[in-house]
Amino acid sequence: VLVVSARSSGERCEEAGISMFALPLDTPGVHVTGYRTLDGLRGADVRFDAVEVPVAALLGEAGAGWDILEACADHGAGLLCAEALGAMEALFDATLDYLRTRQQFGVPIGNSRALRDGIAGMLIHLEQPRSIPIVGSVRLDGDDAAERRRVVSAAKYRVGQAARFIGQQAVQLHGGMGVTDELAAAHYFKRLSMIELTLGDRDHHLARFIAQPGFQEAA
């Protein structure tokens, strides 16, 4: 079953008039083309050709689906932030272990001050965003939608920053091996890259955070 959002009334870009529908995959006119994504998971292109939707397919009230859609997207973004933290921690541990065990000229490459500075930067970016998704997870179940939007967007933005730095730094510190599928580092980096682009990238969530009333009043 596909959960589909579609405009049933109103003008383009208006929040009112969005309705949610549950469509079985075998509905006439629904075409799904699957493919493998960059991180090895699965995605699909869904095309609708003159699909007729019965009244029974409507979820909730007609035209009142925006709040449901936005809340679900925020829950998904919160879960992605938690997944990203786990991936970043695993990537940091793998990189630290590589610097301790990989040797060059008879000594571990981690003895290099430049590489130690790199791993220190990764640790800073790993620790700084830890608390934001925790706060976000608490706000997800609250009744204040504006506060939920504000915290979730802050978390997605900050975690996205950290994921990019840690991912790129890990690839650099692994050298040429960092981009090969033989090492877990490359797979973690790909997954972090996909998380950044899913349910709003950093630019989207920064703009969304700034648009919240609390930010405007503080500014």
Side-chain angles (χ1 to χ4, degrees):
V1 175
L2 298 174
V3 177
V4 181
S5 60
R7 177 164 297 284
S8 55
S9 62
E11 300 296 330
R12 185 173 182 176
C13 297
E14 288 183 356
E15 294 181 4
I18 300 294
S19 298
M20 305 293 292
F21 302 91
L23 287 181
L25 279 175
D26 58 357
T27 301
V30 176
H31 306 279
V32 180
T33 304
Y35 53 82
R36 187 171 296 279
T37 55
L38 174 68
D39 54 355
L41 300 182
R42 302 292 299 178
D45 291 328
V46 182
R47 190 177 79 253
F48 302 98
D49 292 331
V51 177
E52 295 184 2
V53 181
V55 176
L58 179 67
L59 298 175
E61 297 181 9
W66 174 256
D67 290 341
I68 299 174
L69 181 62
E70 188 179 48
C72 289
D74 283 344
H75 274 75
L79 294 174
L80 286 174
C81 287
E83 181 187 354
L85 285 175
M88 288 189 291
E89 184 171 350
L91 189 50
F92 172 81
D93 291 341
T95 305
L96 181 61
D97 182 66
Y98 184 79
L99 295 184
R100 287 172 172 171
T101 57
R102 176 75 166 87
Q103 293 197 358
Q104 192 174 47
F105 304 114
V107 296
I109 61 175
N111 286 0
S112 165
R113 179 171 180 176
L115 298 188
R116 290 202 305 269
D117 288 346
I119 198 72
M122 290 178 65
L123 179 60
I124 292 172
H125 279 271
L126 175 62
E127 292 299 330
Q128 283 183 341
R130 279 189 187 276
S131 60
I132 301 179
I134 295 175
V135 175
S137 65
V138 175
R139 296 291 190 270
L140 286 176
D141 294 328
D143 296 327
D144 191 338
E147 178 68 5
R148 183 198 70 224
R149 288 192 291 267
R150 187 181 70 84
V151 175
V152 168
S153 285
K156 191 68 162 60
Y157 175 77
R158 187 62 189 91
V159 169
Q161 275 188 321
R164 181 171 183 175
F165 181 89
I166 291 174
Q168 292 180 343
Q169 196 71 8
V171 169
Q172 290 289 333
L173 295 178
H174 277 86
M177 291 292 292
V179 295
T180 64
D181 288 342
E182 282 75 13
L183 291 186
H187 297 280
Y188 283 122
F189 182 43
K190 291 176 183 178
R191 181 58 189 150
L192 288 171
S193 298
M194 290 298 295
I195 289 176
E196 155 66 6
L197 299 174
T198 304
L199 296 179
D201 61 6
R202 286 177 298 158
D203 291 340
H204 167 80
H205 281 284
L206 178 60
R208 187 175 184 240
F209 180 85
I210 292 174
Q212 298 308 306
F215 180 87
Q216 294 173 346
E217 292 170 3

